[in-house]
Amino acid sequence: MKVFKTLVKTEFYTYLAYRLNFVLWRLRNFLWLVFLYFFWKAVFQGEITLFGYTKNEIFLYILFAQVVSSFVLSTATGGIGGMINDGTLTDILLLPYSFFKIMAAKEVIDKLVNFAFSIFEIFLFILLFNPEIVGVQLTWQSVLMFIISLLLATTLYFFIALNLGFIGFWSTEVWAPRFLFMVVVWLLAGNYFPLDVLPTGLYKALNLLPFPYLVYFPVKVLLGKAEVAEVAGGVFVLFVWTLIFYGFTKFLWIKGLKVYTAQGA
Amino acid sequence: MREIKRYLKIWLRLSYNSFSAMFFTRFSAVIFLLGKILRFSFILIFLLAVFSKVPGAGGYSKEQIIIVFLIYSLIDTLSQFLFREVYRFRPKVVFGTFDKDLVKPVSPLFLSLFGGADVLDLITVVIYTLVFFIFLSSLVITPLNFSLFLLFLINGVVLAAAFHIIVLSIGILTTEVDHLIMIYRDVENLGRIPVDFYDKALRFVLTYLLPIGIMMTVPAKILFGLWNVKILGVALVVSLAFFYASLRFWGYALQKYSSASS
């Protein structure tokens, strides 16, 4: 635990060194929030409910989705493919700590910093635009199930992101698959809108994939928009996906290390 | 005229080189193209799904909102096709290789803006144009409105060029380009919907200070016949002023270039 704390602290100082980059990144997220808010505001003009959501619920959805995605989808694993390609992965392999422990420490600090900033952004947003978000009651049951689904979603995304980085063991073209993956995740995770506004067939098909469980599902649980059976089923599916990607991560790591040549190190 | 021909020749040569370089990473190119088309298709499906339940928003019909999104997609992709070199500008300043551009008998601004057109975006431009005309067929458009629309579509690309010139200039002054260009893209993203959707203060900013509204919403309004001479006049004056300011800023930034790492 002490080692882990030290790793987290070191990573935090790295963030402070590149703070302008980080602030600009958060500004981008804020602009997206502004866009979504005014889009939904215009759509809801004169409408009381749409797709089973009231105007207040949809505003809360985009605010919560912003916080959840900044926690679940922020990742420090983006450079793994590059590290494998240029051989700098060796530096980490030579350290007296496990690769996964180091990556987990980086991930924790990345998520915490992004989460803290997203909370600040939400307050700033409410201050600037005063969205109508009252009238939605949060229960302790929904908050509890939200925390469980959030932690599972975070773990699942960590493993998925690691697997993407491991492409570097077999290919030098690591950025294109990551770009495609980011496009898919940002569209299908539910960052921008509740996925149940989509045509029923498409929505059902999406639920077969792990993406809706990353943002859409936790936010829906928090808003109390899911039935008990749906929550239980969703948590179970999340757990299964997490196990699958955990196994996949271990498998690719072992196979990858066998072909790793530390080229360029 | 001779000068324009010379620059066109240079642009064709630079674009040819850029296209050839892309073929070395064919796999990545296909994946990037797939990602772009997927994103476009998904947003279109989302808009169609939302507006299947409501007739329109903010005084615009479903078809008009989709046309605004398509005009945004066209201008955004055209500017990425033309100005892709801006995304590669930062290392030139950081390592001092921008010096080489400065001593060439070609405008350094031309090289920094147009030095590497992106073939992938050319493909997506063709696809978006086809989709645009499919949706356009559901509206009645007069020849005058369409001609003015084309003029203001070009004006939109010119404004996009001005934004890119500002990014380049700040890049020279601060070496910060990568995030800045993405922030520009996110500000531009506000133009996916008509600027009339935003509140008064934001609408003012997006019309007069960061004229995304003139880039995206004005061409759409012209197409729908929602224009008058005053709107066109203001749009042209703001566009000219913004473009001129970007050129002046570029000139200022060039004077401050220190060639630090060369």
Side-chain angles (χ1 to χ4, degrees):
Chain A
M1 200 60 199
K2 203 177 164 190
V3 170
F4 191 73
K5 272 186 188 166
T6 312
L7 288 170
V8 167
K9 212 168 141 185
T10 312
E11 193 56 25
F12 181 67
Y13 288 129
T14 313
Y15 262 88
L16 290 182
Y18 297 103
R19 50 191 179 273
L20 177 67
N21 270 359
F22 184 75
V23 170
L24 292 177
W25 158 245
R26 291 311 314 176
L27 177 64
R28 297 188 56 204
N29 284 285
F30 187 76
L31 288 171
W32 261 105
L33 191 58
V34 172
F35 164 74
L36 289 172
Y37 170 66
F38 282 103
F39 172 76
W40 281 113
K41 196 178 172 185
V43 169
F44 266 92
Q45 241 168 27
E47 301 288 337
I48 298 161
T49 54
L50 261 178
F51 309 103
Y53 291 86
T54 63
K55 192 203 276 189
N56 295 14
E57 283 173 341
I58 212 90
F59 288 163
L60 264 182
Y61 181 93
I62 59 167
L63 293 179
F64 284 150
Q66 175 83 353
V67 177
V68 169
S69 69
S70 71
F71 191 78
V72 174
L73 303 184
S74 61
T75 183
T77 59
I80 292 177
M83 280 159 58
I84 296 169
N85 287 157
D86 63 19
T88 47
L89 176 69
T90 311
D91 298 341
I92 292 184
L93 294 177
L94 291 175
L95 292 174
Y97 316 115
S98 120
F99 167 80
F100 290 98
K101 200 180 264 183
I102 292 169
M103 289 320 296
K106 283 174 180 282
E107 197 79 348
V108 165
I109 198 66
D110 192 82
K111 287 181 188 303
L112 287 180
V113 175
N114 272 289
F115 178 70
F117 267 78
S118 71
I119 296 287
F120 168 72
E121 288 155 20
I122 297 296
F123 277 114
L124 184 67
F125 183 84
I126 292 172
L127 204 70
L128 285 175
F129 299 106
N130 195 22
E132 297 159 53
I133 47 171
V134 286
V136 178
Q137 297 267 314
L138 302 180
T139 63
W140 69 266
Q141 291 99 328
S142 62
V143 172
L144 179 71
M145 291 315 285
F146 163 73
I147 292 170
I148 293 171
S149 55
L150 182 77
L151 292 176
L152 276 171
T154 306
T155 314
L156 168 62
Y157 189 74
F158 176 57
F159 290 132
I160 296 177
L162 280 175
N163 283 321
L164 264 181
F166 293 165
I167 291 174
F169 283 123
W170 294 277
S171 171
T172 52
E173 295 185 63
V174 289
W175 284 110
R178 188 167 283 277
F179 167 77
L180 183 63
F181 174 75
M182 292 309 291
V183 168
V184 170
V185 164
W186 284 89
L187 292 175
L188 306 188
N191 295 18
Y192 304 140
F193 55 88
L195 296 174
D196 46 7
V197 308
L198 292 171
T200 316
L202 181 60
Y203 172 64
K204 281 187 178 166
L206 286 182
N207 276 317
L208 299 173
L209 303 169
F211 308 118
Y213 298 94
L214 296 172
V215 177
Y216 167 69
F217 178 69
V219 177
K220 200 174 173 183
V221 168
L222 184 62
L223 285 174
K225 300 289 286 179
E227 301 291 325
V228 177
E230 201 183 337
V231 175
V235 169
F236 176 72
V237 172
L238 245 177
F239 185 69
V240 171
W241 274 119
T242 309
L243 277 183
I244 290 171
F245 274 95
Y246 169 75
F248 210 50
T249 306
K250 282 281 180 193
F251 174 76
L252 284 185
W253 176 247
I254 292 165
K255 287 277 176 195
L257 280 185
K258 283 182 182 163
V259 294
Y260 178 58
T261 55
Q263 190 180 9
Chain B
M1 196 65 198
R2 254 177 60 190
E3 200 62 359
I4 292 175
K5 266 188 184 170
R6 186 172 80 93
Y7 271 95
L8 191 65
K9 244 173 134 176
I10 295 170
W11 181 74
L12 284 172
R13 169 49 65 185
L14 289 170
S15 301
Y16 176 79
N17 291 347
S18 171
F19 292 179
S20 307
M22 195 212 70
F23 281 104
F24 279 105
T25 52
R26 280 185 292 268
F27 170 70
S28 290
V30 171
I31 298 279
F32 275 118
L33 185 63
L34 192 66
K36 282 164 191 261
I37 294 172
L38 204 66
R39 183 170 50 196
F40 173 78
S41 312
F42 197 80
I43 295 174
L44 203 56
I45 292 171
F46 163 68
L47 288 175
L48 288 170
V50 168
F51 292 106
S52 66
K53 301 278 189 217
V54 280
Y60 288 81
S61 69
K62 165 189 162 181
E63 289 77 15
Q64 288 177 333
I65 290 169
I66 289 172
I67 293 281
V68 171
F69 164 66
L70 292 172
I71 290 173
Y72 156 85
S73 303
L74 270 175
I75 293 179
D76 174 54
T77 313
L78 268 172
S79 57
Q80 282 186 67
F81 162 65
L82 290 169
F83 314 131
R84 180 59 78 185
E85 191 63 10
V86 174
Y87 294 72
R88 308 179 190 112
F89 187 63
R90 185 176 180 269
K92 283 186 180 178
V93 178
V94 172
F95 299 116
T97 50
F98 183 52
D99 295 8
K100 291 177 190 167
D101 286 353
L102 290 173
V103 295
K104 281 177 188 161
V106 183
S107 152
L109 178 59
F110 174 83
L111 289 174
S112 307
L113 264 183
F114 297 102
D118 190 337
V119 70
L120 291 182
D121 289 312
L122 187 61
I123 297 170
T124 45
V125 162
V126 174
I127 296 169
Y128 298 170
T129 307
L130 283 174
V131 178
F132 173 72
F133 277 106
I134 290 170
F135 277 92
L136 201 63
S137 61
S138 63
L139 299 173
V140 181
I141 310 291
T142 65
L144 172 68
N145 286 351
F146 191 74
S147 310
L148 280 172
F149 159 74
L150 285 180
L151 188 73
F152 275 82
L153 190 75
I154 294 168
N155 184 60
V157 178
V158 172
L159 279 173
F163 274 110
H164 283 82
I165 292 169
I166 291 169
V167 169
L168 287 171
S169 310
I170 297 175
I172 290 176
L173 296 172
T174 66
T175 72
E176 178 55 62
V177 172
D178 300 355
H179 272 289
L180 214 58
I181 192 73
M182 294 321 285
I183 284 175
Y184 156 69
R185 295 280 300 276
D186 289 322
V187 172
E188 187 196 28
N189 178 52
L190 296 172
R192 277 184 201 216
I193 52 177
V195 285
D196 310 275
F197 281 25
Y198 299 105
D199 65 16
K200 211 174 164 188
L202 199 52
R203 209 161 51 230
F204 178 83
V205 171
L206 293 177
T207 305
Y208 298 106
L209 303 179
L210 302 166
I212 298 298
I214 294 174
M215 269 171 83
M216 314 291 186
T217 310
V218 168
K221 279 191 160 186
I222 292 170
L223 211 48
F224 309 145
L226 304 170
W227 61 275
N228 55 43
V229 178
K230 192 184 161 197
I231 290 179
L232 301 191
V234 169
L236 279 177
V237 169
V238 172
S239 303
L240 277 172
F242 194 71
F243 189 67
Y244 176 73
S246 74
L247 289 178
R248 288 299 298 262
F249 189 40
W250 169 257
Y252 169 78
L254 268 191
Q255 284 174 359
K256 297 286 172 188
Y257 177 61
S258 61
S259 181
S261 304
S262 58

